[in-house]
Amino acid sequence: MIKILNNLSIMILPAIIVFILIYALCTKTKAYESFIDGAKEGFDVAVRIIPYLVAIMVCVAAFRESGAILIIEKMLRPLLEFFKIPVETLTIMLTRSLSGSATLGVLSDIINQTGVESYATKLAAVITGSSETTFYVASVYFGAIGIKKFRHALLAGILADIVGIVAAIGICRIFFL
Amino acid sequence: MILISFVCAIFTGNIANTFDAMLLASKKAVEFAISLIGIMAFWLGIVKIAQNSGLMEKFSKLIKKPLGFLFPDLKQNSDAMSNIALNVSANAFGLGNAATPFGIKAMEDMQEQNKDKETATNSMCTFLAMNTAGFQIVPALVIAILAASGMENPGQIILPTLIVTSIAFVSAIFFSKLLERFNIK
C-alpha cells in the first residue's frame, strides 16, 4: 500500500507534464513560446518575494535562538505531565508552525534522545507530517502579492495548528500507547 | 517579536548566538528564493502551455463546483480557481515545491480583483489557512527520516498522520469561514 502510494506520488507529476504537452500538440498550441512566457513570470515572482522572506525568517530565528521558546517550555511542563505528553515533543509543537527546517532538526534530535521506536518519536513524527510551517507559508504567499494586513488568515491557521496538535496527541494515544 | 527575543537573549546570555542566527536566517531566506527561481520558472512555463491550449479551462470547470462553495467571490475568476485546484492536488501528493508556484499564482489572480491591495480578502484567508494545514496523503519526508533512523515499520505513522491532517484541514476551513464573519481589520 505504501509502495503503491509512493510510486503514485512519483509518477503523478511527469504524467501531468506529458499530458499537458500532448494536449498542446493536439490543439496545435505554440508550446515553446508559451513556456518561455510563463517562465519569465516565474523568475519575477521568485525575486520579488526575497525581502519579505528575509524579514520573517530573521524574526523567527531570533525568537528561537534567544531562548524565548525555552521559557514557554518551562511554563507548560506541569500540563504536559498530566496529559502524558513527553516533554521532548513540546519543542516540536512550538517550532512546527515557525520553521520547517528547524522542525526536522528537532525531530532528529528527539529520535537521538529517546530512540526511534519511542512514543515521543511517533508523536513528533505525526505532528511533523500532518502540518505545515504556518508562518512561512503566510510570508511566502502574502509576501508575494504585497498583502500587509493579514486579517484573520494567521489566526485561522494557528487555531487549525492547535486543533491538529490536540488531535495528534489524542490519535497517537489510541494508536501507540 | 524581535524585541521579545532580544530581552530573552539578554537574560539567557545568548545575544551573540541570537544575532548570528538572525544573519544566518537572512542568508537562508535569499538562498531559498534563489533555489525557487528554477522550479518556479519551470512550472509556470508548463502551466502557461496548459493555459494557452485551453486545458486549464476544462480542468477548472471540473472542480469548480466543490471549490466554488469555499470561495464564493471567485466564481468569475477561473484562473484563480484552477490554480487553487492545482495547488491543493499538488499538496495532497506531498509535492510541496510544486504546490508553492500554483499557490502564489492563485494569490496573484485573487489580488487582481481585490479592491484594497494591502488587505487580504476572505478567499485569500481561506486559501492560506488551507495551505497552512498542510494536507497530504503520504508524509514522504517524515517516513524517509524514520526509515533512515532504523524504525522497523515507519509506515505505521501514515494512518494516524492522515487522520490528524484531515482534522486540521477541515478545521482550517471552518475557522477561516467562522472568523470572516467578524470582519477583522
Side-chain angles (χ1 to χ4, degrees), chain A residues 23 29 34-35 39 41-43 45 48 50 63 65-66 116-117 130 132 136 141 145 148-149 151-152 164, chain B residues 5 12 21 32-33 37 40-41 45 48 52-53 87 105 108 111 118 120 122 132-133 151-152 164-165 183-184:
Chain A
Y23 190 89
T29 310
S34 306
F35 182 87
E41 276 178 46
F43 184 86
V45 170
R48 201 165 57 228
I50 289 179
F63 203 66
E65 283 304 311
S66 66
V116 74
E117 304 287 348
S130 65
E132 248 304 337
Y136 171 77
Y141 282 13
I145 55 170
K148 290 189 181 112
K149 290 175 184 154
R151 291 180 61 222
H152 56 275
Chain B
S5 302
T12 54
F32 171 78
I37 291 178
M40 199 79 185
K48 200 72 166 186
N52 288 356
S53 64
N87 170 273
K105 204 76 193 56
E108 286 186 336
Q111 180 75 317
E118 292 195 347
N122 286 341
T132 61
M151 185 183 268
E152 259 181 33
V164 173
T165 191
N183 203 15
I184 301 162

Side-chain angles (χ1 to χ4, degrees), chain A residues 142 145-150, chain B residues 111 114 117-120 124:
Chain A
F142 278 172
I145 55 170
I147 292 283
K148 290 189 181 112
K149 290 175 184 154
F150 286 22
Chain B
Q111 180 75 317
N114 186 7
K117 299 289 179 208
E118 292 195 347
T119 307
M124 287 177 184

Side-chain angles (χ1 to χ4, degrees), chain A residues 3-141:
Chain A
K3 269 194 180 152
I4 296 170
L5 280 173
N6 273 344
N7 285 337
L8 200 69
S9 61
I10 293 166
M11 292 301 295
I12 191 95
L13 273 187
I16 292 173
I17 294 171
V18 169
F19 182 72
I20 289 173
L21 291 178
I22 290 174
Y23 190 89
L25 207 63
C26 292
T27 53
K28 296 198 173 77
T29 310
K30 285 180 181 168
Y32 182 75
E33 283 83 349
S34 306
F35 182 87
I36 297 295
D37 263 4
K40 277 181 194 155
E41 276 178 46
F43 184 86
D44 290 343
V45 170
V47 173
R48 201 165 57 228
I49 61 176
I50 289 179
Y52 302 95
L53 274 183
V54 171
I56 299 284
M57 285 188 169
V58 167
C59 275
V60 171
F63 203 66
R64 211 177 46 232
E65 283 304 311
S66 66
I69 280 186
L70 286 177
I71 293 171
I72 300 174
E73 198 175 304
K74 262 184 197 153
M75 292 192 303
L76 289 177
R77 195 170 291 246
L79 200 70
L80 296 178
E81 278 161 10
F82 182 76
F83 286 105
K84 291 187 185 161
I85 303 163
V87 180
E88 293 85 3
T89 56
L90 182 62
T91 326
I92 214 159
M93 293 175 194
L94 296 175
T95 46
R96 186 67 197 99
S97 307
L98 296 175
S99 160
S101 46
T103 302
L104 295 181
V106 176
L107 178 62
S108 21
D109 198 48
I110 292 173
I111 295 173
N112 285 333
Q113 273 180 39
T114 64
V116 74
E117 304 287 348
S118 73
Y119 178 62
T121 296
K122 288 169 187 165
L123 178 57
V126 170
I127 290 171
T128 308
S130 65
S131 181
E132 248 304 337
T133 320
T134 298
F135 285 88
Y136 171 77
V137 171
S139 66
V140 170
Y141 282 13

